[in-house]
Amino acid sequence: MSDQLLTNEGAERALLGSVVRAGAELRVQMVAEIREEWFSSEVRMLVWREMRELINKSLPWNEQILEDSLRAHVPLETSARIAQELANLVPTADMWKTLVKTVHGYYIRRRGVQACLTAAQKFSDLKAPAEDALEAAESELFALHANTEGAGMRHISEALKEAYDSIQESISNRGYVVGGLPTGFTDIDRSYIKGMRPGQVIMICAPPGGGKTVMKMKMAWNRAAGCGDYDEHERALKLGMERGMHLNYQPCEVGVYTLEMPDVALAERLLITLSNIELARMQQGQIARGEKEKLAAADVAIKQSRLHMDYVPGISIQDLRVKARYAVMRHNLKLITIDYAQLITSSSKAAQSNRTQEMVDVSKGLKLLAQECNVPVIVCAQPKQETWGQRAGLNAMAETAQLAKDADLVIMLGFWDQLKGKNGFSNEEKSAVGGSAFDSDDEQEPDDPRVWAYADIVKNRHGPNTNGRPPIKLRWERDFFDFVSTNSKLYDPTGREMQK
């Protein structure tokens, strides 16, 4: 199909003419919505680029100033003709919104045809795997739909302004997680105060039975139901409803992809957590009348939450990216969790006989998934078997070493009573975290369902970690599949707040 059939030169010229006729405030709005690559000719791209620079300088300008700006790039006669034509093309800027939709629509058509032609070439190459061609074609079309292409290189002052604005936002919202989604765990949110942001990968690592699924589901539930362990969380929810502040604390749509446990088993765990009824008694039907009411209340709470689940055993990272992209579009997901990384496969040819390459594909695919879907992704993983029962760092990663490199936050889980000897902490170091009677094994009843656990933040690109410091102490209600923070205040102006 000819490119001329997919070009509306009249709409493009009229849109540029609307910019000339627009006022100062409207021009700023136009700069935020119009993109240079939408125009089909180099001349109109040049004109828009010069207009955008004049607008960004916040100086008044007209067609004469535009003509002077264009003289550095085109002959005098051409610049005068372009400026005069745009000035007389439209009487007002009232139709600019309609013109933007028209120009953008033709741009999408041109890009769509180009993507289809490229896909046809890939599908025609019989030497390349058909799955790779399908993945490339689907990714290109999704990128076009989601409009996720970068805006190109920019001056550092623009990035500096965003960084400074972020600092100012933190100052004005001191005591709350700013911008990103909070996890709901007090001390994790204190270290990850910027929250879980779009495109980030959060990794939860623990041995089998170490609680990684419990923590992942607790984080997912906190965001789907708007829950948290600290006092500021409730205040943030109240301010969000009354004044529209701290909206990142409000419930949002969360997607759970599980490769290990069926979604029915995860739903059963949620019922146990919210109703505080042990699994054994629930399965045996030994439930009192009052507990039936708690079970019914938990059932209602789960139904009213914004939690979505998908049981996908043995899925490949390529298929998982496709499913996640469509789930984000269909359900407007703001957070995705995956359990767990070692169960994901790769369908690429290089990974067929190489487990290391397969996990590299999985790691890169998970990072691309977070960036394509523009949501944070929580993924569970297991460390090397030699490090089970020890306080280990990033060196505990084996197959998932690449994932630990790509992740923005890595949390290692373990039991508190394992922090002994050369691989753990001394009693003095442990008392720096809690220092309470709960640390004594002698004072804890043998059948006490509370198991003290710890969370080590071994990597944090956006805040402090616990390397060389006492870890975060958590109470693990093992009969109820629940982690609970031992600190009830997120913000401590004195710096003396201790975990209880």
Side-chain angles (χ1 to χ4, degrees):
M1 182 178 293
S2 174
D3 289 343
Q4 294 182 350
L5 299 178
L6 300 176
T7 301
N8 193 329
E9 297 183 1
E12 293 180 11
R13 289 197 298 267
L15 179 58
L16 295 175
S18 298
V19 179
V20 176
R21 291 292 184 180
E25 295 183 0
L26 186 56
R27 284 174 176 171
V28 173
Q29 186 177 352
M30 290 177 170
V31 167
E33 295 197 24
I34 302 173
R35 296 179 60 173
E36 178 182 329
E37 59 268 23
W38 292 358
F39 297 97
S40 59
S41 74
E42 293 291 338
V43 174
R44 287 187 285 276
M45 287 184 183
L46 170 64
V47 173
W48 170 244
R49 190 159 54 242
E50 293 299 316
M51 285 182 171
R52 186 179 58 203
E53 291 184 4
L54 291 172
I55 295 170
N56 289 334
K57 292 178 181 179
S58 301
L59 297 174
W61 60 275
N62 52 25
E63 59 271 18
Q64 184 60 48
I65 297 177
L66 176 62
E67 178 183 341
D68 295 339
S69 179
L70 291 173
R71 286 178 182 176
H73 306 281
V74 296
L76 177 61
E77 298 79 6
T78 305
S79 62
R81 177 177 57 80
I82 292 175
Q84 188 67 24
E85 177 185 340
L86 296 179
N88 299 326
L89 198 58
V90 292
T92 66
D94 295 341
M95 295 293 293
W96 79 276
K97 284 277 190 182
T98 303
L99 293 171
V100 164
K101 295 180 68 173
T102 302
V103 173
H104 185 220
Y106 274 89
Y107 165 74
I108 291 177
R109 293 178 187 276
R110 291 195 301 273
R111 285 291 311 278
V113 169
Q114 181 182 0
C116 291
L117 292 175
T118 303
Q121 293 178 352
K122 291 182 178 295
F123 281 117
S124 300
D125 185 4
L126 300 181
K127 297 181 179 180
E131 293 79 7
D132 292 353
L134 181 61
E135 169 67 17
E138 201 278 337
S139 298
E140 177 68 21
L141 290 175
F142 181 83
L144 179 60
H145 183 277
N147 200 20
T148 56
E149 298 179 5
M153 188 174 291
R154 59 177 180 172
H155 192 265
I156 190 174
S157 60
E158 298 182 35
L160 182 63
K161 182 180 183 303
E162 294 181 14
Y164 188 79
D165 290 343
S166 177
I167 295 174
Q168 291 295 109
E169 183 183 17
S170 299
I171 295 174
S172 60
N173 294 277
R174 185 171 57 182
Y176 298 94
V177 174
V178 181
L181 299 177
T183 65
F185 290 97
T186 309
D187 292 281
I188 294 179
D189 280 349
R190 182 180 293 177
S191 299
Y192 208 49
I193 197 65
K194 288 293 185 179
M196 300 180 289
R197 301 211 167 197
Q200 295 181 356
V201 175
I202 297 91
M203 183 178 179
I204 301 174
C205 192
K212 54 185 178 294
T213 302
V214 174
M215 173 165 279
K216 179 261 300 183
M217 286 302 299
K218 180 67 178 289
M219 289 182 178
W221 173 254
N222 284 344
R223 296 287 37 89
C227 301
D229 292 343
Y230 46 91
D231 301 338
E232 293 88 345
H233 200 288
E234 290 298 323
R235 291 203 297 271
L237 289 175
K238 186 176 180 181
L239 289 172
M241 292 184 290
E242 294 179 353
R243 304 181 187 179
M245 301 170 60
H246 309 300
L247 296 180
N248 54 324
Y249 280 86
Q250 298 296 318
C252 63
E253 308 295 332
V254 178
V256 176
Y257 287 101
T258 172
L259 291 83
E260 183 181 28
M261 296 181 62
D263 50 359
V264 176
L266 293 179
E268 185 180 48
R269 280 193 173 193
L270 268 181
L271 280 173
I272 295 170
T273 303
L274 299 181
S275 63
N276 282 344
I277 302 175
E278 293 90 341
L279 174 62
R281 291 200 300 115
M282 182 180 292
Q283 291 180 340
Q284 294 170 5
Q286 298 176 352
I287 302 177
R289 181 178 302 176
E291 291 177 329
K292 290 182 180 179
E293 296 177 357
K294 294 166 61 177
L295 189 62
D299 178 71
V300 172
I302 295 174
K303 289 179 180 177
Q304 292 177 347
S305 71
R306 301 185 177 185
L307 198 61
H308 308 268
M309 293 187 181
D310 194 355
Y311 181 41
V312 286
I315 194 172
S316 67
I317 184 59
Q318 291 79 8
D319 292 339
L320 182 60
R321 287 171 58 190
V322 174
K323 291 177 71 71
R325 288 193 290 256
Y326 283 110
V328 168
M329 288 189 293
R330 180 179 178 183
H331 301 291
N332 194 27
L333 300 181
K334 300 300 181 183
L335 174 66
I336 291 177
T337 70
I338 302 170
D339 189 9
Y340 59 93
Q342 279 96 333
L343 295 180
I344 305 175
T345 62
S346 174
S347 59
S348 68
K349 186 176 181 180
Q352 294 303 311
S353 57
N354 191 324
R355 177 60 175 171
T356 302
Q357 181 61 43
E358 185 175 41
M359 291 311 301
V360 170
D361 290 351
V362 169
S363 175
K364 292 181 179 179
L366 289 173
K367 189 64 177 179
L368 287 173
L369 187 154
Q371 294 170 345
E372 291 169 347
C373 297
N374 199 34
V375 299
V377 172
I378 300 174
V379 57
C380 300
Q382 290 185 4
K384 292 189 295 187
Q385 187 172 356
E386 304 86 66
T387 63
W388 294 359
Q390 303 177 10
R391 190 187 185 210
L394 291 178
N395 59 340
M397 302 295 102
E399 296 177 335
T400 54
Q402 183 64 42
L403 182 58
K405 296 177 184 178
D406 295 336
D408 296 87
L409 181 72
V410 179
I411 301 174
M412 302 285 293
L413 300 179
F415 294 104
W416 189 257
D417 58 4
Q418 294 172 347
L419 297 182
K420 299 177 181 178
K422 62 180 182 179
N423 294 319
F425 275 135
S426 64
N427 291 331
E428 291 78 9
E429 291 173 312
K430 289 166 66 176
S431 64
V433 180
S436 65
F438 289 123
D439 290 342
S440 174
D441 296 334
D442 298 334
E443 297 191 26
Q444 185 169 337
E445 295 296 331
D447 58 347
D448 191 341
R450 298 173 301 182
V451 175
W452 301 101
Y454 70 88
D456 247 336
I457 300 180
V458 297
K459 178 183 178 183
N460 185 2
R461 286 179 176 168
H462 310 283
N465 55 48
T466 59
N467 293 328
R469 304 176 183 177
I472 296 170
K473 189 175 183 180
L474 299 170
R475 189 175 79 245
W476 187 1
E477 301 284 357
R478 58 187 177 187
D479 288 343
F480 307 129
F481 304 104
D482 192 18
F483 278 118
V484 181
S485 300
T486 55
N487 195 335
S488 61
K489 291 187 179 298
L490 179 66
Y491 177 60
D492 174 29
T494 66
R496 300 175 182 174
E497 182 71 27
M498 294 174 60
Q499 301 178 66
K500 299 179 181 179

